[in-house]
Amino acid sequence: MNMLKKNDAIFERAKLVIPGGIYGHQSVKQLPKGYPQYFAKADGAYTWDVDGNRYVDYMCGFGTNLLGYRNPEVESAALAQLMLGDTVSGPSELMVTLAEQFVSMITHADWAMFCKNGSDATSIALVAARAYRNKKKILLATGAYHGAAPWNTPVLKGVTPEDRANIIYFEYNNVESLTEAFKAAEGDIAGLYATPFRHEVFEDAYFPSEDYAKAARRLCDEHDALLIVDEVRTGLRLSRDCVWSAMGVQPDLSTWGKAIGNGHCISAVLGSDKVRQAAEEIFVTGSYWYSSVPMAAALATLKQVQSSQYLEHTIAVAQHLRDGIAKQALAYDFELKQTGPAVMPQMLFANDPDVKTGGAWTVAMLKHGAYLHPYHNMFLSAAHTFADIELTLQASEAAFIEISKLR
């Protein structure tokens, strides 16, 4: 029985009018057969595909859903602003209020700029860093994901060497490699990008050492370069502040996106006074960057971030899921590695380089109503309940039983 009959028909139409039928990171073309591409609706912790199949969703819109799909407070604020105006000839007062709110919440931040997606934010930070001392070189960890602009996209088709002429790469969480990268810049380093933890596809996730984070701060200070912490995936999901703040490390710039509007299209660059003049002098813009509806949604999201136990609840249900799956994997004699924080889990089977086992497991879970990813880090939201976790554990056990028969 084809559970995705309507989905497949839509994709056939798409191939005629969209290059490849689909593009970007939400394409399921590289996933095992059985993943839906098109969705009809979402609510709380659930999504429904166009064929009517319901899933407990552990991708959360690739991290955009923090509080739950269609969160009532967020949607009410967005709808109220929509009735007044969204994209007009200038921003509303909400932009100032939202900047004030971020500055009051994030330790290192003295100012904020808003845009639309993570690549916007990381690219703004790059331009600001180069404007800070009129230096060119940018340091990136090899393989780290900071967006899909020519200077950082993981796919090099259409990218020229000139697009990356001023990028220097180093090994993440390796102080010696980072130090050598600073030396290689020969005094011409504008900024260093850092992810709060390593969260790349097909890889185990892990946090860096405190020594590494502090070395990044020290080296930037010594070379008068900017430390840029990329919180696009992690922001508000792991902490109510920058993640590295817990280690006593404050960035000069931080980039935010995905969850800050709980699904509404907004991202941000936050900076310290040290970078204020540079940020004033650069020219970065977008006609939709000043839209008021996403800002209303972001303000409603931040209100719940500060006033509720959303984070503590999400951590608790995420740990329950992790513990339950670990117990099942042991019972069915599978070595399943669960790495990264429980609220952003990465699940990879040992000795599974082609993700054949992982793909079979997650496809089996789809049949039982749970949407997980075989090689990308996942996300939990405050809308996930312990009852949702139990439904997921029923699906995961059924999937373990199914793939056990394939050995």
Side-chain angles (χ1 to χ4, degrees), residues 284-358:
V284 290
T285 191
S287 296
Y288 289 95
W289 287 8
Y290 303 96
S291 300
S292 297
V293 169
M295 293 180 184
L299 279 166
T301 300
L302 295 186
K303 181 178 180 180
Q304 291 185 65
V305 164
Q306 291 189 296
S307 65
S308 76
Q309 294 294 301
Y310 87 99
L311 181 59
E312 293 75 14
H313 168 79
T314 308
I315 291 171
V317 295
Q319 191 60 50
H320 186 54
L321 176 66
R322 172 163 287 186
D323 292 344
I325 286 181
K327 184 178 179 180
Q328 290 174 352
L330 184 64
Y332 291 96
D333 196 27
F334 284 98
E335 186 180 348
L336 177 64
K337 299 176 291 179
Q338 299 190 73
T339 58
V343 294
M344 288 179 60
Q346 177 71 297
M347 300 184 192
L348 297 171
F349 286 80
N351 304 312
D352 188 29
D354 58 0
V355 200
K356 185 177 180 180
T357 302

Side-chain angles (χ1 to χ4, degrees), residues 386-401:
F386 286 102
D388 296 328
I389 302 303
E390 290 303 320
L391 286 174
T392 304
L393 290 174
Q394 293 175 24
S396 60
E397 182 162 27
F400 275 123
I401 292 171

Side-chain angles (χ1 to χ4, degrees), residues 51-380:
D51 287 277
N53 302 303
R54 187 187 79 158
Y55 310 95
V56 186
D57 180 18
Y58 290 96
M59 287 309 293
C60 289
F62 278 78
T64 60
N65 170 26
L66 179 72
L67 303 173
Y69 292 116
R70 297 173 59 205
N71 177 268
E73 289 81 2
V74 172
E75 297 310 313
S76 292
L79 182 59
Q81 182 58 41
L82 180 61
M83 295 298 100
L84 298 174
D86 184 18
T87 306
V88 294
S89 299
S92 72
E93 183 182 353
L94 290 178
M95 185 170 80
V96 180
T97 306
L98 182 58
E100 290 170 338
Q101 191 63 45
F102 263 120
V103 166
S104 73
M105 289 176 57
I106 307 304
T107 303
H108 83 90
D110 295 307
W111 54 264
M113 297 171 69
F114 300 105
C115 40
K116 280 297 167 195
N117 54 56
S119 292
D120 288 341
T122 56
S123 294
I124 290 171
L126 178 144
V127 176
R130 286 177 168 161
Y132 170 64
R133 289 290 184 259
N134 293 315
K135 297 179 180 180
K136 295 183 293 187
K137 299 291 191 294
I138 299 292
L139 271 57
L140 300 178
T142 301
Y145 184 79
H146 294 290
W151 66 272
N152 60 14
T153 176
V155 179
L156 297 181
K157 191 72 172 179
V159 176
T160 69
E162 290 80 7
D163 291 322
R164 304 194 177 195
N166 292 300
I167 304 296
I168 297 175
Y169 296 96
F170 64 93
E171 183 181 343
Y172 187 81
N173 198 34
N174 185 323
V175 175
E176 182 179 355
S177 177
L178 180 59
T179 303
E180 290 301 314
F182 270 90
K183 291 179 181 177
E186 298 180 336
D188 189 27
I189 178 169
L192 159 67
Y193 278 79
T195 51
F197 76 97
R198 185 76 179 194
H199 48 52
E200 311 315 320
V201 295
F202 297 106
E203 296 181 13
D204 292 340
Y206 61 92
F207 282 93
S209 68
E210 188 171 318
D211 286 345
Y212 169 78
K214 290 184 174 179
R217 178 70 274 173
R218 173 179 54 79
L219 287 164
C220 284
D221 290 340
E222 290 175 358
H223 293 262
D224 198 18
L226 300 184
L227 176 59
I228 306 159
V229 173
D230 183 355
E231 298 268 6
V232 169
R233 287 194 206 182
T234 56
L236 304 184
R237 191 157 248 112
L238 302 189
S239 170
R240 292 178 174 87
D241 199 346
C242 279
V243 174
W244 278 13
S245 293
M247 296 187 287
V249 176
Q250 301 296 340
D252 302 300
L253 294 169
S254 58
T255 56
W256 303 69
K258 292 190 182 290
I260 66 173
N262 198 53
H264 288 265
C265 189
I266 186 169
S267 58
V269 179
L270 307 183
S272 66
D273 276 330
K274 178 178 177 178
V275 200
R276 186 187 293 270
Q277 183 176 348
E280 291 178 358
E281 293 173 348
I282 63 176
F283 183 76
V284 290
T285 191
S287 296
Y288 289 95
W289 287 8
Y290 303 96
S291 300
S292 297
V293 169
M295 293 180 184
L299 279 166
T301 300
L302 295 186
K303 181 178 180 180
Q304 291 185 65
V305 164
Q306 291 189 296
S307 65
S308 76
Q309 294 294 301
Y310 87 99
L311 181 59
E312 293 75 14
H313 168 79
T314 308
I315 291 171
V317 295
Q319 191 60 50
H320 186 54
L321 176 66
R322 172 163 287 186
D323 292 344
I325 286 181
K327 184 178 179 180
Q328 290 174 352
L330 184 64
Y332 291 96
D333 196 27
F334 284 98
E335 186 180 348
L336 177 64
K337 299 176 291 179
Q338 299 190 73
T339 58
V343 294
M344 288 179 60
Q346 177 71 297
M347 300 184 192
L348 297 171
F349 286 80
N351 304 312
D352 188 29
D354 58 0
V355 200
K356 185 177 180 180
T357 302
W361 185 63
T362 54
V363 167
M365 290 186 72
L366 287 171
K367 299 172 186 175
H368 293 279
Y371 190 107
L372 282 76
H373 203 287
Y375 56 79
H376 192 291
N377 79 267
M378 292 170 277
F379 304 88
L380 280 87

